[in-house]
Amino acid sequence: MLLMSRVMVLMISTGVLSSCAQTPHECKDINGLLKSHGVTDTPAGLPVPDKSVEQWKAELRQAALSQGITADTFDKALAGLTLDNDLVTATQKQPELVTPVWTYLEQRVTPENIAQGKTLLKQYADVVTRINQRYQVDPPLLFAFLSIESHYGANTGNKAVIRSLATLDYYNYRRAFNRQNLIAALRMIQNGDARPDQIKGSWAGAMGMPQFIPTSYLHYAVDFDGDRHPDIWTSFPDTLASVANYMQQAKWEAGVPWGVEVNLPSGFDYSLSGMDSQKTVADWQALGVKTAVPRDLASLSSEKASILLPVGKNGPAFLVTDNFRAILRYNNDVSYALTVGLLSDNYQHDTPVRKPWPRQETPLTRKEREALQILLQEKHLYQGAIDGNIGRGTTQAIRTYQQQEGLPPDGYPDPALLDRLRCQ
Ligand code: CA
């Protein structure tokens, strides 16, 4: 007996020892993978300017004048311009860590924000009724955008937009995009919509309560309080109508919900999840998809919808309509769109997310997502760029891998999936 137990102990400990010793050899190291594929972590900051400030300014002036900006507008707006060197650090903040969806939501769908939105909805009831008649966009949605973009106008940013965009232009940072916005900002001044010192916003040029960039301002900002100037900094009527105009053009359909939390039936085919897969609400119901909150979907039977799993099969599921896509046109980020949707619901009735979030699953870091793409590439499942962005190509590659491995193909890169790929 004694001898036997000793042998067993010895066997067990040998087993434990050998698996410990083997782990580093069997599992590929993230940093090693990135290094061997030449993926460096140099921050994407401002490049070195290629000309003197005077040369650059002359060239910019010519470009602006060729696009209809008058010499007078240009010279006044850029008189005494100094470059804003704080932007050098601002552009280098490429976040390594990703905020989990649940944290993002819980920081924004708060009792205070809900209460403030309800108060504003009452205060501007007449205005939003008229806006809804004109643009066919549901009023709660408008306030949800303002809450997230600027805390209902409390944080609109105080950087001088012309100076910020000129600095980014000088450093040749995303120049095609920023120059278009700089010229749009000059046009705003020329149109008499704002004085240069009124055009304030974030370092990237997002302005006012809805955080419109200058090109969006020119496309979407409207006057609704009757003074003929679209004022997105201090006028709620102008701001709300401007957001409504944006959402109308993004094809928002009034009266249709953005989506609803649902429970999926056991044995659900996860290859049907994701924004690329659409069925009518009635078809989803026929597959056993049921609302998780009290909501009658009868009037939406023929509406097209997708099953959105923001954090894969272990988290909450949402049945989302084309209106969710319309929100994504304002800001192409699922956490953002979900927050806008849930906040607008919560102004009307208490709408908590029912299914617990998988809080133990930390979202993959940028490096980990890049390593994941390399590992999928090594398996010939992925041909796209190693950039850490989980887009369509990466999601499809993940699904194919999950199918090969007999896992539910939800397309979501959870830590377990990365470990499986690393340690095979
Ligand atoms: Ca106005």
Side-chain angles (χ1 to χ4, degrees), residues 164-186:
S164 296
L165 295 176
T167 302
L168 297 175
D169 195 282
Y170 173 65
Y171 282 100
N172 197 8
Y173 177 80
R174 299 176 67 199
R175 185 175 276 166
F177 175 79
N178 284 308
R179 180 163 291 188
Q180 221 188 345
N181 273 296
L182 177 55
I183 291 173
L186 293 170

Side-chain angles (χ1 to χ4, degrees), residues 61-117:
R61 189 175 187 274
Q62 206 172 15
L65 266 53
S66 77
Q67 291 186 50
I69 301 299
T70 66
D72 185 54
T73 304
F74 185 92
D75 294 340
K76 277 185 187 155
L78 279 94
L81 175 81
T82 56
L83 297 175
D84 182 353
N85 289 316
D86 291 352
L87 262 60
V88 178
T89 40
T91 55
Q92 280 169 348
K93 280 184 195 156
Q94 210 188 12
E96 172 61 19
L97 295 175
V98 178
T99 307
V101 178
W102 51 90
T103 307
Y104 186 95
L105 262 170
E106 285 160 4
Q107 285 168 349
R108 291 163 180 83
V109 187
T110 63
E112 293 76 20
N113 285 345
I114 295 167
Q116 203 177 341

Side-chain angles (χ1 to χ4, degrees), residues 7-59:
V7 172
M8 278 174 74
V9 168
L10 196 72
M11 278 168 69
I12 292 162
S13 27
T14 316
V16 169
L17 269 177
S18 63
S19 75
C20 275
Q22 279 171 14
T23 306
H25 299 287
E26 284 186 352
C27 294
K28 291 177 180 163
D29 169 62
I30 304 279
N31 286 323
L33 264 174
L34 296 178
K35 209 173 161 190
S36 67
H37 281 74
V39 180
T40 56
D41 55 0
T42 19
L46 293 178
V48 179
D50 50 3
K51 45 182 80 81
S52 76
V53 175
E54 284 316 308
Q55 277 176 313
W56 158 79
K57 206 170 159 181
E59 185 206 279

Side-chain angles (χ1 to χ4, degrees), residues 3 18 31 72 116 240 264 281 319 352 369 411 418:
L3 189 71
S18 63
N31 286 323
D72 185 54
Q116 203 177 341
L240 293 163
L264 303 177
V281 169
L319 185 64
R369 284 175 280 145
L418 177 61

Side-chain angles (χ1 to χ4, degrees), residues 326-344:
I327 303 176
L328 286 171
R329 287 194 193 105
Y330 200 102
N331 185 345
N332 191 19
D333 178 277
V334 166
S335 296
Y336 177 94
L338 197 57
T339 305
V340 168
L342 285 167
L343 193 54
S344 63

Side-chain angles (χ1 to χ4, degrees), residues 133-152:
Q133 282 160 0
R134 177 130 145 219
Y135 297 100
Q136 289 86 50
V137 177
D138 306 84
L141 181 81
L142 306 176
F143 285 101
F145 278 112
L146 300 194
S147 172
I148 297 164
E149 292 294 346
S150 65
H151 201 223
Y152 304 109

